[in-house]
Amino acid sequence: AAFTFELFIKIVAEGFFPMRFFFYWSRHEKEVKFSYWNIFDFSIVVGNYVILMADKNGQSSTPSSSLLSMLRLIRLLKVFRLVRAFPELQVIVEALIMGLKSIGYIGGLLLLLIYVFAILGTTLFGVNDPFHFGTLHTSILTLFRVSTLDGWSDIMYINFYG
C-alpha cells in the first residue's frame, strides 16, 4: 500500500501532464529522456496487483506467490537511487565496480590453486580416504568444503588416523 500511495502521489504531482512521470525533457541534452526508476516502480506496483488478481481468480498460487515475493525483493534495488544523492557513496560504488575485473582474476587464480591441490590430494590421500579424495571431482569439492571450514575436522581425523 505504501508503494501504491507513493506512485499515486508522484503521478498526481505532475499535474496536467501525468506522462512526465515516465519521461522528461532534458534541458542540457535537448532531448526526451526516460525516467527508468519511475518505470521500474510502476512496473513493480502494477505487477504486484496483476499477480494478486490472478491469485484471487482461483489460479494456482504457488508459482505466482513466489513471483510476488521476488518482485517485493526487487524493490530493494530502489536503495541504489541513493548513490546519486551522495557523491561520496558514488565514488565508493564506482571504485567497487572498477575492481570487479581484478576480483575475477583473483577468483581464477584461486580456482587454479584449488585444482593443483586437488590433484595433489587425490595422489596423496586417494588410497587412505577414497570417499573424499578418490577422484579429482570429489577432491575439488572436499577442498572447497575445507576452505569454507564446513566439517573440516571430519576430513582431518579420517586422514590423520586412517
Side-chain angles (χ1 to χ4, degrees), residues 109-128:
L109 185 62
L110 182 65
L111 286 176
L112 182 66
L113 195 66
I114 286 177
Y115 181 73
V116 168
F117 278 105
I119 292 172
L120 191 63
T122 303
T123 305
L124 295 176
F125 303 117
V127 176
N128 189 28

Side-chain angles (χ1 to χ4, degrees), residues 8 16 19 38 41 47 51 67 78-79 96 105 120-121 128 135 141 158-159 161:
F8 177 74
F16 294 111
M19 290 305 290
N38 287 343
D41 290 343
I51 290 171
L67 182 63
K78 290 175 67 174
V79 172
L96 286 174
Y105 290 133
L120 191 63
N128 189 28
T135 64
L141 289 175
I158 290 171
N159 289 295
Y161 293 117

